[in-house]
Amino acid sequence: MTARFPLFENALATRFAKRFFTAAQVILHSPLPRSTQELVSLRASQINGCGHCVDMHTKEATAAGESATRLHLVATWRESTVFTEAERAALALAEEGTRLADAHQGVSDATWEQVRAHYDDDQIAALVCQVAVINAANRLAVIVRQPGGSYETGMLAAAEL
């Protein structure tokens, strides 16, 4: 698979990417655990079929100390024993927030109650923003068919946007 369009070689897209990356940095430095951020990004990317972002977040999570077992089980988190109740709430929010068109209510009250039970206000703000940011990133990459497989850990942080 080759990209349809070299998005990050375009001046306008590069200007946008700088601002997008700056917004994502707010979440990265939030009190939401890094492992939760990566699990949420990975799950939304799986749902959206974004190979580029699955590649990126799997590698970044591994570099941050996440185990291969947990990463392999993200797609089946409901049927797995390796996630905490807080992580389960975050993964449910990621799924429901990603599949908005599939549910007339968007995020269910039951999921929201679980999120409220496990996270404080700043963590919830970061979690909601993380779901929004990863879905936007997925759409950018999927639209231009940005292939997965070539991402190297730290590449995004080191990019001179």
Side-chain angles (χ1 to χ4, degrees):
M1 180 172 145
T2 46
R4 288 179 167 157
F5 180 76
L7 192 63
F8 298 109
E9 294 174 19
N10 176 275
L12 188 142
T14 300
R15 286 195 314 272
F16 175 81
K18 283 181 185 181
R19 286 148 183 89
F20 190 79
F21 183 69
T22 299
Q25 289 290 2
V26 173
I27 302 162
L28 182 66
H29 298 295
S30 75
L32 184 66
R34 176 72 186 274
S35 60
T36 303
Q37 293 177 36
E38 295 298 343
L39 294 173
V40 162
S41 292
L42 178 56
R43 185 64 190 125
S45 299
Q46 290 170 335
I47 292 167
N48 288 323
C50 184
H52 177 72
C53 293
V54 167
D55 182 33
M56 176 190 311
H57 292 290
T58 300
K59 290 173 180 172
E60 290 293 344
T62 300
E66 193 57 69
S67 75
T69 299
R70 284 168 44 93
L71 292 175
H72 291 303
L73 292 173
V74 167
T76 58
W77 63 269
R78 284 183 183 82
E79 294 80 26
S80 304
T81 60
V82 298
F83 301 103
T84 67
E85 290 303 313
E87 290 167 337
R88 289 175 178 284
L91 289 164
L93 182 74
E95 286 188 0
E96 292 176 23
T98 296
R99 293 182 164 138
L100 292 174
D102 296 343
H104 73 282
Q105 296 178 345
V107 174
S108 70
D109 290 340
T111 294
W112 189 255
E113 288 173 21
Q114 285 300 307
V115 168
R116 292 294 297 165
H118 294 287
Y119 297 100
D120 66 27
D121 286 353
D122 286 344
Q123 291 171 319
I124 291 171
L127 187 55
V128 169
C129 292
Q130 182 69 34
V131 171
V133 165
I134 191 57
N135 275 281
N138 291 163
R139 278 144 182 80
L140 289 168
V142 169
I143 289 168
V144 300
R145 291 190 181 155
Q146 187 67 39
S150 63
Y151 183 82
E152 294 180 26
T153 304
M155 187 182 272
L156 182 61
E160 291 187 29
L161 301 173

